[in-house]
Amino acid sequence: MTHTVTRRAVNRHFLMCPPEHFDVVYAINPWMDTSVPVDTGRALAQWETLKQAYETRGHTVDVIDPEPGLPDMVYAANGGIVVGGQALAARFTYPERAKEGPAYDAWFTGPAARARGITSAGQSGETQEGEGDLLLVGDTLLAGHGFRTTRAAHEEAARRLGLAEQGIDVVPLELVDPRYYHLDTALAVLDTGETGNAPLLAYLPGAFTPASRATLERLYPDAILASDDDAAVLGLNVVSDGKHVFLTDRAGRLADDIAAAGFDVVPVDLSELFKGGGSVKCCTLELRPDTPAADCAADPEESA
């Protein structure tokens, strides 16, 4: 596929959590193996590289303090969802992560969030794992379910975040492969459509039920279809600003396909954090204040 559109970066605002306490001391997904040692120092260095990659391309990164005893708190995307300046904190499936929901809600209710124009809507009452399963694509919220987030949580999020009032429709997608238990491991949002281009996704068809695949084919007929090999290194767990796509350095063909669609691929080594079942998107929660985003003022790669 050869691109025929001009990609333009839009300023993003992210929340991240340094992996100071990262470890694999339990196994709640197919990627976790408690017998494999974790190098926390290396994980922190890789995380810093990702943070710097965002900042050097004009994006803002806020940092939440990690809490001892919460080794998976580094996966900030799971902490909640922020739309239109309203933040709804997660309620986790597994007790090992249960305290992360209140930790993220505390940040959403604190002075840093208020300074960014964000108001807390509290913690979800239903089981809901934030942007792990809730991905915004323009005026559509793609809502995963099947493993971690419930259908009832979709309805609750729509109500408490006032999605209908913002003109946002919720589209449920059912996941069926236990390796891809969160939507953001099976589907990547490459272009939200906010710069005038058509929305563009990449996804692994086999991660979804036939009905959900049909929905994706209908809504996003030009989507990039990922291979099993690229999905298995969490290649779909990406962050895109509309031009730059940040993803694991191990997703070869997918990176080529994304580049062919006109994006600048930014490969990042997060191999240590992969041991917990996460990659770029898992480490990144987007903060969306109640103001429109702007194009990035400068692209360092173009001005160099």
Side-chain angles (χ1 to χ4, degrees):
M1 177 171 55
T2 302
H3 77 278
T4 58
V5 298
T6 299
R7 303 295 178 187
R8 202 163 70 239
V10 175
N11 281 318
R12 305 293 189 197
H13 188 176
F14 301 129
L15 181 64
M16 299 179 69
C17 181
E20 294 177 8
H21 307 294
F22 176 66
D23 202 351
V24 178
V25 294
Y26 48 75
I28 59 173
N29 68 54
W31 311 103
M32 303 176 90
D33 184 345
T34 58
S35 69
V36 176
V38 168
D39 185 335
T40 304
R42 185 168 183 240
L44 186 57
Q46 292 176 347
W47 178 90
E48 288 282 1
T49 297
L50 175 62
K51 179 174 178 286
Q52 290 171 13
Y54 291 147
E55 292 173 334
T56 58
R57 288 164 180 82
H59 305 301
T60 301
V61 179
D62 278 333
V63 175
I64 182 174
D65 291 332
E67 296 192 7
L70 298 178
D72 283 344
M73 196 171 165
V74 61
Y75 303 126
N78 303 154
I81 181 171
V82 184
V83 181
Q86 294 291 312
L88 183 63
R91 185 172 298 276
F92 286 85
T93 300
Y94 287 99
E96 291 88 344
R97 299 192 68 182
K99 292 181 180 179
E100 292 181 45
Y104 277 93
D105 188 45
W107 193 90
F108 294 144
T109 60
R114 288 196 299 273
R116 301 298 192 185
I118 293 168
T119 302
S120 173
Q123 187 179 8
S124 177
E126 302 289 342
T127 303
Q128 174 258 101
E129 298 200 355
E131 283 195 330
D133 278 320
L134 303 173
L135 298 176
L136 191 64
V137 189
D139 58 3
T140 300
L141 184 73
L142 299 179
H145 65 99
F147 294 103
R148 299 292 185 89
T149 296
T150 65
R151 287 291 301 271
H154 300 171
E155 298 167 3
E156 179 187 17
R159 183 179 70 255
R160 293 178 63 181
L161 295 173
L163 297 185
E165 292 81 356
Q166 298 179 63
I168 297 172
D169 295 324
V170 178
V171 174
L173 297 170
E174 186 174 3
L175 299 160
V176 294
D177 188 327
R179 295 174 299 169
Y180 309 112
Y181 50 89
H182 279 147
L183 184 62
D184 70 354
T185 64
L187 182 149
V189 180
L190 302 175
D191 196 319
T192 63
E194 61 198 295
T195 63
N197 296 327
L200 183 65
L201 308 181
Y203 65 91
L204 178 68
F208 298 92
T209 62
S212 292
R213 286 201 302 273
T215 296
L216 289 169
E217 290 166 2
R218 174 175 55 83
L219 294 177
Y220 307 102
D222 296 324
I224 295 171
L225 302 184
S227 69
D228 290 335
D229 288 345
D230 283 336
V233 294
L234 297 183
L236 288 162
N237 194 241
V238 316
V239 168
S240 174
D241 63 17
K243 178 179 181 181
H244 307 98
V245 178
F246 306 82
L247 79 168
T248 175
D249 60 353
R250 298 196 285 175
R253 197 195 85 180
L254 180 61
D256 291 342
D257 288 346
I258 290 172
F263 298 93
D264 292 345
V265 173
V266 183
V268 183
D269 177 10
L270 289 183
S271 53
E272 206 64 28
L273 292 167
F274 179 87
K275 295 175 181 178
S279 189
V280 174
K281 176 56 189 168
C282 287
C283 294
T284 313
L285 173 63
E286 185 165 355
L287 303 178
R288 301 178 183 87
D290 191 17
T291 54
D295 291 352
C296 286
D299 186 331
E301 296 175 353
E302 293 178 347
S303 59

